[in-house]
Every structure is written in structure tokens, then in C-alpha cells.
Amino acid sequence: MCRIAAYAGPSIPLENIIVRPKHSLLEQSQHATEAKLAVNGDGFGIAWYDRDETPGLYRDVLPAWADGNLTSLCRMVRSRLFIAHVRASTVGETSRQNCHPFSYRRWSFCHNGQIPHFAAIERKLEADLPDHLYSARQGSTDSEMIFLTLLANGLDDDPERAMAATLAKIGSGPDPVKITCTFSDGATLYGFRHASRGTAPTLYASGSLDNGGKAFASEPLDGGSWAAIPANKIISLGINQTA
Amino acid sequence: MCRIAAYAGPSIPLENIIVRPKHSLLEQSQHATEAKLAVNGDGFGIAWYDRDETPGLYRDVLPAWADGNLTSLCRMVRSRLFIAHVRASTVGETSRQNCHPFSYRRWSFCHNGQIPHFAAIERKLEADLPDHLYSARQGSTDSEMIFLTLLANGLDDDPERAMAATLAKIGSGPDPVKITCTFSDGATLYGFRHASRGTAPTLYASGSLDNGGKAFASEPLDGGSWAAIPANKIISLGINQTA
Amino acid sequence: MCRIAAYAGPSIPLENIIVRPKHSLLEQSQHATEAKLAVNGDGFGIAWYDRDETPGLYRDVLPAWADGNLTSLCRMVRSRLFIAHVRASTVGETSRQNCHPFSYRRWSFCHNGQIPHFAAIERKLEADLPDHLYSARQGSTDSEMIFLTLLANGLDDDPERAMAATLAKIGSGPDPVKITCTFSDGATLYGFRHASRGTAPTLYASGSLDNGGKAFASEPLDGGSWAAIPANKIISLGINQTA
Amino acid sequence: MCRIAAYAGPSIPLENIIVRPKHSLLEQSQHATEAKLAVNGDGFGIAWYDRDETPGLYRDVLPAWADGNLTSLCRMVRSRLFIAHVRASTVGETSRQNCHPFSYRRWSFCHNGQIPHFAAIERKLEADLPDHLYSARQGSTDSEMIFLTLLANGLDDDPERAMAATLAKIGSGPDPVKITCTFSDGATLYGFRHASRGTAPTLYASGSLDNGGKAFASEPLDGGSWAAIPANKIISLGINQTA
């Protein structure tokens, strides 16, 4: 179980979402309240958009709260659209390649959840990737594979159809598949919740932050107006459109 | 609030204390039950004794549970006396220099607690160190300063008197000083609990592990026989003596 | 021997100095040509100024060329004044606290050179720091101590006088003191070269980069117009003034 | 171009090969003399055998010379057979998963060289791995793939035949394949040099170290008796047999 926060709107310092809110992503990294694990200390990452089509990417294996660079970057860097993630991994060694967000060209993606039967389907999913996405794979997580499969299934053209095709390819196993994710092409911010059985991990949206921006977060960042997004439907927050 | 585990006895793989017990130090790093913070993810360290008088030292800033090297080392390395520590830091960036245990020549030391008025006395404590201990200081923690002050006050000759002199030098402040620590010269393992007011952080001793060894731990490692050690008295566990 | 690059002028992506030039700082980290050591792999750092008076700070212990985050940051972050440093350390473990630049309030500072008799004067230099600078010390290098001593000697009011007082305090030892450094308060970029005997480490200035900016560098970054700055005189590059 | 050192013989501290010799592996990490790159600062690793069949593994992304833990481990840990590696990577971010040695069950393996046409054959090589080796893959290097392909081709039964089958599978490309490697099952230490065209990277063997042990090294560790091993033939150094 990881924690996610993402923003779209007027350009703001990253810290306005990641550090400053009462229940900021950094606070959630140590004191999550709606996750099985209260602590998300297995790495973190940020993807942010500025002038380039390609997002900036900053990921590290330290707990987010222990990285002095992160505080400085969040104070200095401003962005009109960004995705941030703190990771809780139950097994295995952390590497930057396994930290979210993942990025490919203009797309960025981060995930909270899991494919419990991933070991059984990994070879098939990987074999089905076209060469350019096969060689883009850097780590070994189910999360990165979901992202690459979304891309292979036409994320550029139709996110809803790409998600449906990806879920079909993942199929089901003895334990429920859980995919709560946010992703972006730099223009629109998408949020999605899904569980093949049971409840999907939380994702809240706020359509009207103080500054007019919009946000997704695993847990509401402050006392403002946040609504749980519905399951099985891609919600999009555009910079110049209503949620 | 950190967690400590230490062992003296017949040579065993480090994992027998750090990894394998039901409530091992590694388990306590994620699920401490007798500490304010359940998670101790701000670095870890091990000091262990073998043939040399000088202990080996392995410290890193990652959470203990995220370091693949640690698992391998704990499986391979055997020792007759070792001290291990997982760290929970409430403020600041983690560095190896601030991870416990600290070592100086044949001594190793780790600490759970704090000197809340440390900022007010740091210059004085440091100025009172002899040159060889001043230049041995590597980090910026109150813990390392307690260790160096113990050494300056005759730890080699009389641990009880060195501790009394150190506590006198530290004095008191608006918030209570808390020092629970284990330390060793490679022959004897020492444990100590102290609070200037209120309750000292826990430290338990087991005088008869399965293999005949003895141990200290912030929280009992298993269902065996563990007793909280009394406060304000140095308890020693020798390899060839009764606790 | 480390390598330095610094810039003042119209806002540019950091990569225009650090990554893109033919003999960029990143290139110099692997193939320095005017240093005793060709490789500077013991950490790196960047201090950059934007809207805040306080600079951003990004430092890590990896070799600069091995940090994927650095490439991304240098592409995304733009600044009107920044200082960057790659470190070659001959002894000891690397820690972020010992990586340059150092910063204090609006000032940033990085250094190439050494005080060979530092061990003999460290206690005196530290004892002479006022409390607020004593408690700002994070690492153990001579470089950080030079910076704090400059601040204690009035860097805010008169850089020339602060430097003279600092050099007097450092004095001389059996081996020559070498201090080549760049530093800034966010408005002006300063460069300085000094050796108590022999030759000071190189520092070149370019008063007219392609974009109208100015720069310092340990080695010229490209085929443009670069001049070695004279020793023992602080050279300043202002954003709106001639060098 | 990386540097390798490996040992088989009476149990010795790792430092006797890695740290202490005049031209030790640690020295070669900064001052290699027979490699294109003099510096090997992109991570390091050690695999060592003791009582267990499974080797211990210690790998990190720091330059070997900057890791204080390594010095301590090399002083404390003793082994009768070990392989050590310092890495020079020309491209990409370093991760522990890409540091050598690689290990699988009782086998360990490290490599110096490259498959220049790896991108063209990676999918085929990976697809040909049996499931248990496919899921053992942790990183993205050609080196790890050579190791897994050796295992898939019967390394357990016949190293010569496994190597021949692996080389056949790798085939040739526009640039020459270069594979100089050492590997072990914990009983025998193997060394091998191969270039599809031109000269294979160096590997020397010493059949009689001071203590009666034997060693491989990319460059002779000291002034003793070292001979370049011939190309295209697996050389084995057994603990109880003549080279």
C-alpha cells in the first residue's frame, strides 16, 4: 500500500501539495490513516511537467522524510502538473528503478495496489510488449508492467479503452487485483480505482483547491472539499477544464 | 526512540538475534510495540567482535528492512559479541555518521533516548573532550557525544564512575534526559537505563538463550525468559560469567 | 582536487552549464584535464537561486555521472545564478553533509583546495565561531569551516575583508594552503584563488557566454572566451554588471 | 571495463586480496593500469563462501573506495573462496541489481566485457530462459544474462559445454563480444577469457600466493608470480588441487 498525491492547475511550488498541507504526502509517508501500513518508507518519487513535453523525474530509495534534497526541491521547483508517490513495499530490496512514478516519453504513472498473481503472468505480459516498450522496462514491479501494458494498449489514443484492455490482459487470480493509479500526459491528470473483488484502494479528488487547482490524493490533504472517486471509471482533471 | 539488540555468548550468526526471532530487531524496525514510534526506519547499524580487538562496523541510512546486504551479512557473519541498532529519527537528514553503533578503538556504543537540551550544552561537552576524542567525533548526535564523554570520563577503567560523571556533566533541562544504552569493550556487554525524570526507555535482558548465550533487547525477542533491567545501574553480561 | 562551475545571467536550465557544454562539469567529473585527479566521483552538489532569498540545495554522495536524478533536474530546473561542484576526496567516507556547496541563509559556497594543517587548527577555528554558526556546522570538512569563518568575519558586509581575516586565521603550515572557491549571496557571484605557496588551483571566468551570461569554471566549459582569474583578489560577476 | 579479483585457498580475511596488496582491487578501482578506464567507480560487490552452500553477497552503488562499510567487512570477514568486482559503467544509472557478482543458489559470477549487440538479442535470450531463471533475473545487464544463460545451458554439469553453448547463443554482431569472467560453485573457482574478435580483457592467475592460496585478478595484485590465462579455455582453481 502506497500513498499518492497529484496536482493540476496554476503553477505552484511542489511543497504546496507534498510538504505543507496538514496531512501532506510527506505526513502520509509516516502517518497514513487509510492504509494497511501507516508507514510508506520504501522510496518515493515525483514526476513534474514544465516547458518540455517530457516530465522531470526525481526518485530515491530513502524514506521521503529522510531526504534533505526533497525538501529543498519541493520548495524551489514549481509546476502546473505533477504526480508524487511514497512507497510501502512488503518484500525485497528497494531500487530507484522500482520507485514510482514511472515515465515514458510524455507519460507518467504511479500505482497503489498489486497484482497478487503477477509471477504467473509476468512472462506473458512482457512478451506481449512491443520492442520499444520492452526495452523501456527498467525494474521488476507489477506497477511498471501495468504502465507499459497501458501504453501498448493505446493509452495515447483512448485511456478508457487502454485500461479495459489492460485489465482484461491481467485477468484474475486467487487474490483480488487492486489498481488505484494516477497518470498524466502533461495536459490532463487521470485517476482510476479498481478492485477485481472487494474494495479498491482509496483515491480522493478535490476540484477546487485554494488556488483554483485540482488534486488527487490517497487521503485528503487538508480540511477542504474532497470526494472519493468512484471505482472503475477514469476521472480526469484538466488544467483548463472542469473535473 | 530507537530499538537495540545485543548478544554475548557462543559464536552465532548475527541473524539468530537480528533476523530470525519472532520479534527480532528487524521485526521491531517495522513493528515496535513498546516505543512511541512503531517504525524505526532511519538507518541501522551493527558492531561485532571477532579476532581483532577492534569491532567490525556496518551502518547504513536505509531502513534495515530494505537492505539486501544486511540479510546476507546476518546469515554469513558469526560473532561471540555484537550490538545492533535500528534508528528512528524525528528530525533531519540521515547520514551514516549519525547511525549507531559508534565505535572507538575496542569500544562500541548504541543509544536509545535523548538529551532534549543538547543544543544548550553541546559546545561545552565538545570543548571538554581531549583532542583524541574531539577528532574522533564524526557526526552531530547527542548519542555520539554521550559515548565520547563516557570515554573521556574513564570508561576504560570504571564504567560506573564514567557513567555517573557523564550524567553529571549532562545535567538537566526543561525536558527529561533519557539514556538507555548498551556498550561493550569486546569482553563484556553492558546495559544501562536512565531517565532524569519519568520512565527510562525499556531494556530487557535474557540470561539464558537457547544456546547458553545472553542478550539485551529493547523488546523481548521471543517468548523466552526476559526481565526488564533496573534503572540507574549498569548491568553487565560477560561471555564467561553469570549476568 | 574538485571541479567547480558557476553561472550568473539570464535564467537558463542548469544543464546548459552542467551537462551540455563539450567540457561540461559532468564531463570534468570523469575527465578533468587540469587537476591532479582526472576523476571527481566522491559526490556532487548544486546550489541555485530563484525567487526565494534562500538557495535550493541538491547534494548526493554518488558520482555525478551515476545519478539519473541529476540529469533530470538539470534539464528541468532553470536559474539565474547557480554554483555546482563535483568532489574528489582522497580519504574517508563520503556523506552528503561533506558535499559542496554549503549554504547558510542566502549564502552558498564551494571550495577546491585544502588546508593541510586543518587538524591542528580545527578546534580553534570552531571555538571562534559564534553560536549560530557553530550550530550550523553539519559536516567535518575544512571547506565548510572556511565558509563559516568567512561568515563569522563579515562576509555579509565586506567579502574582501572577510577573506583576508579568514586567511589570517587559517595561517600557514608545513604544506601550502590552497583555496579556490566560488560563493554567492544570490545577487553577485564571487570567485577567488589563493595559495599560501606555489600555484592556486585554476579558476577561469567567461564574461560573455552565448546568452549574455557569465560563468566561473575550474576548466573552460567550451571553446569560447575564458580567462584565468588572478590570484588573491575576489572577482565578482553580477547579473546586471560587468565582470 | 571492470576489474575482478578472486581467491581460493586457506581461509583469509577478504582484505588480503581486496585492500592490502600493493595493487589491490581497491587500488585498481582508482588506478587501473590495463583497462581503457582507469577508474571503476560505478559500484562494487563481493560474493564469498563460508559454511553455507549459498554465498554471501554484498553489493553497493557507491565507488568501492568511498564505502566505509567495505573496509570494515574486508577486515572482519574471512573466507576460503570469494569473488570481488569493481564496476565501470559507461552509461546509465547504477543500481545494486546491476552490480556484480550475481548469484544463484550456490553459484556466483562476475564479468568484465560486453555484448555490444545485446539490445538486439536480449528478448531472445530472456525468452529462452526456463521459468526459474527468468524469475531470478533482477537487473538489466548483459552480464547477468550471460550468467543466467550459462545456468540454463548446464553450468552445474559441465562448465565448458555451458560456456560453448552460451557463446553460440550470443553469436556475433558488428562489434566484438568480450567476455572475461570468474565464477564459482563454492568448491572450484573458474576463470575465462574470450573475445569474438581482437583481444579479450586481461585475467591473470597466481597459483601460489604467500599463504598457499590461488587467485585470479584483472591485473596482478602484487609483485608475485602471475600469468595471463589463455583465451577460450576455462581455467579452474580448486582449493585442494593444482591449478
Side-chain angles (χ1 to χ4, degrees), chain D residues 97-114:
Chain D
Q97 284 79 4
N98 286 345
C99 289
H100 309 218
F102 304 99
S103 76
Y104 182 77
R105 292 187 185 154
R106 64 193 173 111
W107 286 95
S108 57
F109 173 90
C110 67
H111 171 229
N112 174 23
Q114 56 181 329

Side-chain angles (χ1 to χ4, degrees), chain B residues 56-121:
Chain B
L57 198 60
Y58 178 65
R59 304 187 291 184
D60 209 350
V61 299
L62 288 172
W65 67 80
D67 180 30
N69 288 328
L70 180 62
T71 321
S72 192
L73 288 171
C74 285
R75 179 173 60 81
M76 297 294 288
V77 172
R78 304 172 72 90
S79 172
R80 57 179 170 79
L81 196 159
F82 57 93
I83 293 177
H85 186 271
V86 291
R87 187 162 176 255
S89 162
T90 45
V91 289
E93 193 164 50
T94 312
S95 77
R96 283 190 185 176
Q97 284 78 5
N98 286 344
C99 290
H100 309 217
F102 305 98
S103 75
Y104 182 78
R105 294 188 184 155
R106 64 192 172 112
W107 286 96
S108 58
F109 173 89
C110 68
H111 171 228
N112 174 22
Q114 57 181 329
I115 306 175
H117 64 294
F118 182 59
I121 61 172

Side-chain angles (χ1 to χ4, degrees), chain D residues 114-225:
Chain D
Q114 56 181 329
I115 305 174
H117 63 295
F118 183 58
I121 61 172
E122 182 180 359
R123 290 198 87 153
K124 177 75 173 78
L125 290 177
E126 191 180 42
D128 287 352
L129 293 177
D131 282 350
H132 66 287
L133 294 173
Y134 172 83
S135 54
R137 195 179 180 206
Q138 295 183 316
S140 55
T141 61
D142 53 358
S143 304
E144 187 185 20
M145 189 66 89
I146 295 170
F147 176 45
L148 297 173
T149 302
L150 281 168
L151 288 163
N153 282 291
L155 186 61
D156 264 320
D157 299 323
D158 185 340
E160 283 284 0
R161 200 159 58 187
M163 186 62 80
T166 299
L167 292 178
K169 224 179 231 303
I170 290 168
S172 61
D175 291 310
V177 170
K178 302 209 168 185
I179 298 179
T180 290
C181 56
T182 61
F183 48 100
S184 180
D185 59 0
T188 304
L189 183 59
Y190 300 94
F192 181 72
R193 293 176 62 221
H194 168 80
S196 65
R197 286 197 311 281
T199 311
T202 56
L203 192 65
Y204 294 84
S206 171
S208 57
L209 299 174
D210 287 353
N211 75 335
K214 296 155 190 169
F216 287 123
S218 295
E219 305 178 12
L221 302 175
D222 54 29
S225 166

Side-chain angles (χ1 to χ4, degrees), chain B residues 48-52 54-60 62 66-69 72-73 75-78 96, chain D residues 48-52 54-60 62 66-69 72-73 75-78 96:
Chain B
W48 75 100
Y49 295 88
D50 192 358
R51 304 185 186 198
D52 280 9
T54 309
L57 198 60
Y58 178 65
R59 304 187 291 184
D60 209 350
L62 288 172
D67 180 30
N69 288 328
S72 192
L73 288 171
R75 179 173 60 81
M76 297 294 288
V77 172
R78 304 172 72 90
R96 283 190 185 176
Chain D
W48 76 100
Y49 295 87
D50 192 359
R51 306 185 184 198
D52 279 9
T54 310
L57 199 61
Y58 178 65
R59 304 188 291 185
D60 209 350
L62 287 172
D67 180 29
N69 288 328
S72 192
L73 288 171
R75 179 173 61 82
M76 297 293 288
V77 172
R78 304 171 73 88
R96 283 190 185 176

